[in-house]
Amino acid sequence: MIIVMKPRTKQEEIERIRVRLSQLGCEVRDIKGLNYHIFGLIGNTNLVDPDRLLANEGVEKVIHVQEPYKIANRLFQPEDTIVDIEGQKIGGENFAVIAGPCSVESEEQITGIAQAVKAAGAGLLRGGAFKPRTSPYSFQGLGEDGLDLLKIAKEKTGLPIVSELMSVEHLPRFCQDVDIIQIGARNMQNYELLKAVGQIRKPVILKRGLSSTIEELLLAAEYILAQGNDQVILCERGIRTFEHFTRNTLDLSAIPVIKKLSHLPVIVDPSHAGGIWWLVEPLAKAALVVGADGVMIEVHNDPVNAKCDGQQSLKPDKFASLMDSLKDLAQIQGKKI
Ligand code: PEP
Ligand code: MN
């Protein structure tokens, strides 16, 4: 439920209503703008009587939030959430580019790719250290050693690091050395993991599950938000359909839909969506045009010998030319790269 206070309502009146709402047993969140004050109620609102609330002079209107996600709902926060990672902004008028290999393989590999993507204009470096692989016999990532190498790449380039967390056990190490924690598609509904990253105060990229609806994605985000971490970035990375030419089907319509339903930033991962390197450019451009807040792109210096996802990785020169096209498109769309 949302309670919109009348503009210019006195602070004492706002406080009085807040106390009353808390007494009725719900969690009260303040949503404040230049000219408005809104209360967002979470939890059990059974005891809140909208008619009695409207009898208060300062109350303008009471809105029922029908959607099961509350904090993620745009009704709770009309303005876009903008996540700031060491000056790299995701959300609002910014278009963020995160690039790097599927997995960290060696110091030379990760630092070389980091320098190349930085030179092309990427703002953040991705690299998997713990890899969720379909087969237990596939390369599982370098683990903590991979995080050490990402740290070296960051020292050399200054690029903040994005890496996937698969287990709560590794959370303390990620809190120290990773700038954005990625929750992968396979873990989108790992609720214990979501609650754990909800308790920290670091940005989280939450990828859409392989067969998840938009509502399920927003409810997964709600798990993180409900624990107090408000720095959530959603990621559309394609969903399973009957089509097999592409690895997944990029649900481009999810972007404007999510932007309408929620204030959270949404980025697109065209690499895992298409699954083929030459699809990355058109899908990344489409993402920008439909209003995404950024893209996350796999880049590898030697895709043929990559330990993971070489077929969908761009070589640094292809990535650089994609960046040039994205910069031109961003200008037309009124976005800042
Ligand atoms: C990845 O980003 O490397 C990855 C495994 O992605 P997803 O969870 O979307 O499959
Ligand atoms: Mn990958």
Side-chain angles (χ1 to χ4, degrees):
M1 193 180 280
I2 283 174
I3 293 133
V4 183
M5 301 301 292
K6 284 188 184 141
R8 291 176 293 281
T9 300
K10 289 209 177 83
Q11 199 53 37
E12 304 104 74
E13 174 70 352
I14 289 175
E15 286 310 320
R16 202 181 56 76
I17 302 273
R18 186 209 319 282
V19 169
R20 183 71 196 121
L21 291 167
S22 302
Q23 285 167 346
L24 293 172
C26 25
E27 189 188 322
V28 186
R29 298 243 172 167
D30 288 276
I31 306 146
K32 281 188 254 184
L34 223 48
N35 294 312
Y36 63 83
H37 195 111
I38 298 173
F39 290 117
L41 305 190
I42 308 162
N44 188 352
T45 53
N46 286 350
L47 295 176
V48 182
D49 177 348
D51 290 335
R52 285 183 70 170
L53 270 176
L54 284 165
N56 290 284
E57 221 180 295
V59 175
E60 173 129 318
K61 59 182 167 184
V62 177
I63 305 166
H64 282 282
V65 179
Q66 261 139 18
E67 295 82 11
Y69 48 89
K70 310 290 177 193
I71 311 169
N73 205 307
R74 205 178 262 285
L75 288 172
F76 259 58
Q77 182 188 310
E79 292 100 14
D80 289 343
T81 285
I82 300 174
V83 179
D84 189 322
I85 310 106
E86 299 179 1
Q88 296 294 327
K89 293 195 175 74
I90 307 184
E93 55 182 6
N94 310 286
F95 189 79
V97 180
I98 305 168
C102 181
S103 55
V104 180
E105 299 171 12
S106 68
E107 180 175 336
E108 201 189 2
Q109 176 244 19
I110 191 66
T111 53
I113 296 172
Q115 279 155 347
V117 298
K118 180 172 180 172
L124 299 111
L125 174 67
R126 66 150 286 154
F130 295 88
K131 293 304 305 174
R133 304 304 300 278
T134 304
S135 163
Y137 307 118
S138 302
F139 176 60
Q140 304 283 308
L142 295 180
E144 300 217 23
D145 293 344
L147 296 179
D148 290 338
L149 300 181
L150 280 167
K151 245 175 100 173
I152 296 173
K154 182 179 179 183
E155 274 158 24
K156 294 215 163 135
T157 58
L159 292 179
I161 291 164
V162 180
S163 200
E164 177 168 355
L165 173 76
M166 294 214 296
S167 161
V168 175
E169 179 198 342
H170 299 127
L171 189 53
R173 178 73 209 273
F174 272 67
C175 283
Q176 245 174 42
D177 293 330
V178 171
D179 301 297
I180 306 187
I181 295 180
Q182 177 177 323
I183 300 295
R186 289 154 193 81
N187 274 314
M188 189 204 86
Q189 286 177 313
N190 181 338
Y191 299 118
E192 290 307 312
L193 197 56
L194 299 180
K195 284 189 228 165
V197 295
Q199 301 219 327
I200 60 166
R201 296 294 173 265
K202 252 189 198 272
V204 174
I205 289 182
L206 176 65
K207 296 187 97 177
R208 182 174 180 183
L210 279 70
S211 304
S212 299
T213 62
I214 292 170
E215 186 166 289
E216 285 163 344
L217 172 62
L218 290 169
L219 279 167
E222 188 81 10
Y223 263 90
I224 302 172
L225 299 168
Q227 297 289 324
N229 187 352
D230 56 9
Q231 300 183 78
V232 179
I233 300 146
L234 304 170
C235 179
E236 162 60 42
R237 44 78 72 204
I239 46 174
R240 279 227 166 137
T241 66
F242 52 81
E243 180 55 65
H244 287 298
F245 189 90
T246 49
R247 181 171 177 174
N248 291 289
T249 297
L250 179 59
D251 183 5
L252 277 174
S253 45
I255 312 305
V257 170
I258 293 172
K259 305 255 5 144
K260 191 176 176 68
L261 300 176
S262 176
H263 51 84
L264 295 174
V266 196
I267 62 167
V268 166
D269 173 346
S271 309
H272 290 87
I276 313 169
W277 67 268
W278 53 263
L279 272 172
V280 173
E281 172 153 355
L283 297 183
K285 288 178 178 166
L288 195 157
V289 174
V290 293
D293 297 298
V295 279
M296 178 152 69
I297 294 176
E298 287 187 337
V299 177
H300 201 285
N301 54 322
D302 183 14
V304 175
N305 293 303
K307 292 208 161 130
C308 185
D309 287 349
Q311 79 291 347
Q312 65 193 32
S313 299
L314 292 184
K315 285 190 186 157
D317 62 330
K318 286 258 173 348
F319 174 72
S321 82
L322 167 59
M323 280 302 298
D324 289 342
S325 322
L326 290 176
K327 283 175 198 157
D328 291 345
L329 264 184
Q331 226 171 11
I332 300 169
Q333 297 288 320
K335 287 257 191 183
K336 282 198 268 190
I337 289 201

